[in-house]
Amino acid sequence: MPKSVFRFLSRQPDWVELENEHYVLRLPRYQDFNQWHKLRAASRQFLEPWEPTWRRDELTEGSYRARVIRGKQEYASGQAIPLLLFHKQGMTLLGGITIGYIRRGAAQSCMIGYWMGEAYAGQGHMFAALQLVIPYIFAGLELHRIEAACIPDNARSIRLLEKAGFQREGYLRGYLKINGHWHDHVMFSLLATDTDKGRITDSR
């Protein structure tokens, strides 16, 4: 079970951290800018086809600081939890995963989105991140449903979700504006009842 210092339904600390022997997931900090800038800049062509259009100031320090502030505000309000993924050895930044659109009441659900630096893609890091995030969502946040949407051509992301136990639910027309164009998406979901106390295993 991942270590969590987040208590969503009670008093919230100023930070959240999930970790195991090899990885750490935590909220972004100002001092992460250099690593974040280097990784995002080097991975731009790799990431742009799957993300909203990058702004002109996307990689500036000011834009990053605004991103950190917004992330803290969203976390404090219970709307979203943006996390950066680090390899524990050397605390090397690998990518990020966001628990977003957190809904309480009758829904008890969220949506996840993620990105990986090009140099680290396809090496199992994001699957490892999901092994930390999924139990946290179900046991820590006490949510019932996780959603994830993928562009149909994003075969790598679809394989990741299927490997993690997500089920394909449907096809959403013109769902999100990605890289300047409205794209259809495939919707996937995972329910708390689909897992063994939130644990996921490699089903290959």
Side-chain angles (χ1 to χ4, degrees):
M1 184 73 180
K3 172 187 175 183
S4 172
V5 295
F6 181 79
R7 296 294 180 268
F8 192 90
L9 297 177
S10 58
R11 197 168 147 194
Q12 295 184 47
D14 293 332
W15 52 287
V16 56
E17 184 172 299
L18 309 174
E19 63 179 24
N20 61 17
E21 183 181 357
H22 301 292
Y23 299 95
V24 174
L25 279 155
R26 62 163 173 77
L27 295 173
R29 301 171 184 169
Y30 296 136
Q31 56 265 40
D32 298 323
F33 171 71
N34 288 337
Q35 274 208 83
W36 178 89
H37 178 273
K38 182 178 179 180
L39 184 59
R40 295 283 294 180
S43 306
R44 180 165 188 160
Q45 291 185 337
F46 176 72
L47 294 172
E48 279 188 319
W50 317 113
E51 296 188 351
T53 302
W54 287 31
R55 302 182 307 274
R56 290 185 178 180
D57 67 344
E58 183 77 22
L59 296 177
T60 64
E61 187 169 1
S63 178
Y64 176 77
R65 291 180 68 86
R67 184 187 298 266
V68 172
I69 292 170
R70 185 171 63 251
K72 289 179 179 178
Q73 292 171 341
E74 290 175 340
Y75 167 70
S77 67
Q79 295 176 324
I81 308 171
L83 301 168
L84 293 180
L85 173 64
F86 296 86
H87 198 279
K88 231 174 187 181
Q89 185 175 2
M91 285 301 289
T92 301
L93 178 63
L94 306 176
I97 183 166
T98 295
I99 305 167
Y101 298 101
I102 297 173
R103 290 169 288 172
R104 293 293 175 176
Q108 297 295 322
S109 66
C110 68
M111 178 168 281
I112 59 168
Y114 41 80
W115 65 274
M116 180 64 61
E118 183 174 13
Y120 308 111
Q123 300 174 33
H125 300 304
M126 190 53 67
F127 181 75
L130 288 176
Q131 289 179 305
L132 287 166
V133 166
I134 289 173
Y136 170 66
I137 291 172
F138 289 144
L141 300 184
E142 299 182 0
L143 295 177
H144 170 70
R145 173 184 171 89
I146 307 171
E147 297 176 350
C150 289
I151 294 175
D153 293 341
N154 194 345
R156 176 175 282 169
S157 186
I158 289 174
R159 285 197 302 270
L160 170 68
L161 292 171
E162 290 177 340
K163 180 179 173 183
F166 282 74
Q167 296 185 30
R168 189 181 302 227
E169 288 196 336
Y171 196 85
L172 307 177
R173 298 183 302 125
Y175 183 60
L176 295 174
K177 195 173 187 179
I178 301 296
N179 199 26
H181 302 281
W182 289 101
H183 284 269
D184 299 345
H185 281 66
V186 180
M187 176 63 76
F188 289 83
S189 72
L190 184 70
L191 306 182
T193 50
D194 294 333
T195 68
D196 178 15
K197 297 182 179 179
R199 290 191 294 271
I200 59 174
T201 58
D202 187 343
S203 59
R204 291 178 302 175

